[in-house]
Amino acid sequence: RIGQDFMIAPSVFGFYLPSFMPSGPLEAHRLVSPENQLSIAPLMNAMANGLSHLVRYGLGGTNKDAMEKSFSAASDNHHQGYLSFDPFPDNQAPTEASTQTAVDQLDLTLTDGRLSAASKAIIVDEAMREVTRLAGLGSDEDQQRAAALRVVRELMFVTPEFHMSNLVGGTGEPRENTTTQTAQTDDYKAVVGVMLMGGADSWNFLFPKGNCDGNLGYDMYKARRGVVAWEESWTDKEGDTHALTAVRPENGHAQPCTNFYMSYNLSNVAKMFNDGDGALFPNTGNLIKPFTKAEKATAPLPDYPQAHNFAERHMQNMHAQLGTGAKGVLGRIADAFKDTGMTSALYSIDSYPTLVRAATKDAVVLDMRSMGASTVDVYNDHPDAVRALLGDTTQAQSYFAETYGKSFLDSLGVSEGLRALLDTAAVAGTGTATFGEDKIGQRFNMVATIMRLRANGKRLADRDLFAVQISSYDTHGQGYETHTKQLDSALKAFKEEMVAENSWKDTVVVTMSDFGRTITSNGKGTDHAWGGNYFAVGGSILDEVMLSAYPTSLAPGHDQDLGNGIFIPHWGYEVYWGPITDWVGVDFERWGYVLPNLHRFPYTCKYHLFEDPADPGNVWGECVEPTLPTSSSTMAASSPSATSSVSAPVFNATCDDVAVAVPGALASTPLKEFGYTLGELGADAAVEFRMVFDGAVGGDKWAAVGVRPLRADADGDMEHLDVIAANTMGDITDYEAATSTALNVDGAGQTTLGAVTADGNDTVVTFLRLLDNGGADYTLVEGAALNVALTAGVGLNVAFHGTAKAAFDIAFVCPSSVSASATGTNATGSAAGTDASDSATVT
């Protein structure tokens, strides 16, 4: 299968998300590429094998199995056709000239004549190498000709030109090699994020039993839920009696009931909760900050919280206000361990969800159909040629070709590295657990297998971070319970395996979904809503803990009821991601990067999710309330082609502190793609930002320069003020004063960018775009300058994006200071980069 099988699109929206941006140059340049959702190891390997098999065996099969596969090996009696192209002369052994002719003809036919001379040479050389090998074995001319034709065809199907429609080219910039972890600590943790895709009806996961405040109780639940409500007990067709499992929270936030029920299909999870290995999170969901129904009109809200595509993105990136650019929360946890001496690893199964997308590394996508890693026939036979065609040493000029080449190289590396290890993992573990044969059971079996590799010393990792995706929860009619029961069984087996491996104390599994569903029924099922009830299981979870709060009433008109059975979440997913971030050992100063909105949720340290490691089984003793970060920092991507971004602290001292400190943060930042954020200035830190264009390197076109002042909002969070794009090229507009400052622009380009002032008392937004409305580039004249004066209470964000590498002088200047040496107390800092790979110079 290659990811587009008939009738099994991953969602009701089809095979692709329109906003998808793959990691690398496409994401760095904010270009969407929905089809690149297929660029994951299982599908790329399957595609490569399918094309190889088409060459080797023909398009095959008239049986059911063949219909379920994109390509299959055809037998002589069961095939639907073979490739007939054969340019080699009959009765002659292939020569270099005839092989070159064959490659040229296929280039014209398959790649519109776009195949580079270097790629042609690689294919010809590999084909002739195979001919020479067969000649040495005594093969005849027909066998040699068939082998040469096979090699030429198969390698043509590997080339980026075959998969892309533009010119590939090469940048000459070296491809970054992935470093291998050579050591690990004894401190191990694993987090498994389970995404219930489609919006789980989690109001049936957890509901009131009795001993509740007011009229809340099972009767109110049953009356509101109607036909979808669970019965407290019932008799099945075989005459067996069943009853719901009750749970009683003892720790965490105050709840309106002493006793709750859990879904009959979550009986194993309920038992884990009662045994002290589970946690419950009632009425939780996507939020930017908590609010009540009365505050909804003025509260910051996630975009379209009841729309699948938005809600799924928000639950995974935990940064709803950032849109499509945010990485996943597990990915940011992995980023947070960069340069700490600990290694982290990211895994997903059969897909690459946002949850595990990181700035500093790529996730490993495991192939469920081959229990981890599949083989690639053409790579097994011709590894050097395949890697050379994909550009294993240098990057492609085409962003799409670079994405394809890197993705395929990564998938080959994963397959090569994991295959042998996974063969040993099956026999190396205790094997005490029996996982179900369903997809959910086998996905947890795969997670357990990868963890077992680490436990057996076959794989090195300090932090393992997994994404498990379960589809088909979008049930406007009933039907999701099968998935929930399979999940419950898989978690039971997973716990048994982790206990046997002595890893249960080091593991937590947590669930999430797009949104909850309506508390009321539509007559058959339930519809899209907002808040829902979720759970976590793990060996270090505090006994019988429930965080967030169940509604005090399910009746219409409740202060969290938006109408139509939709409940505002009492708490965001931060209620458990905050404690998990702490538990896995993320340094406190990086919490704001992992969870940009955490500071908006009052964090009281007595409400713990995990046991006190100094006193297992008990609530933590004395604790210190943390002062949470009020702005998110950023992690620079490891890829040199990606946008770099650094962040400076809040300065509450003098301008001199800013001018001296900032250039150090700018060192080694590429100035083709660049972003920089200066935190809020203190009362005595008025400063001027200066940027001077010193000329382009390798070209003269520049697309955009953006300067956006920042200011603390009511919550103390440094945020960009709303950006309103100028209608005419080059305008600087103070939108509060409704005035406009025209820039000196001539037909050739920009001569002076002008100067603007921002202070903490207005809502000025400055955004300079050197683009006309049609998107044409303009040329910056050398010496063009921008000055922005900043005063107390204002920060600054600067971003450049150009079509050519360029040199800029960048400085934060004290208006009353005189430039001095770098060691002087009033030093003026500047940074200049002449190449995207050069370090900036601080003067």
Side-chain angles (χ1 to χ4, degrees), residues 558-577:
H558 183 264
D559 62 2
Q560 288 179 283
D561 178 15
L562 289 177
N564 299 317
I566 301 171
F567 275 76
I568 301 168
H570 177 78
W571 218 254
Y573 289 125
E574 285 83 357
V575 74
Y576 57 74
W577 282 123

Side-chain angles (χ1 to χ4, degrees), residues 572-593:
Y573 289 125
E574 285 83 357
V575 74
Y576 57 74
W577 282 123
I580 289 173
T581 299
D582 189 9
W583 178 73
V584 297
V586 172
D587 290 341
F588 180 72
E589 61 269 19
R590 293 185 174 181
W591 284 19
Y593 171 73

Side-chain angles (χ1 to χ4, degrees), residues 32 46 112 143 169 172 182 192 261 271 335 368 373 393 541 595 610 612 618 657 685 704 732 767 784 801 834:
V32 298
D112 302 323
Q143 291 172 322
T182 57
V192 184
Y261 280 131
K271 184 178 186 304
D335 289 337
M368 197 67 259
T393 58
I541 291 177
L595 296 167
F610 298 96
D612 184 348
N618 292 302
D657 297 319
I732 301 176
F767 191 65
H801 165 63
T834 57

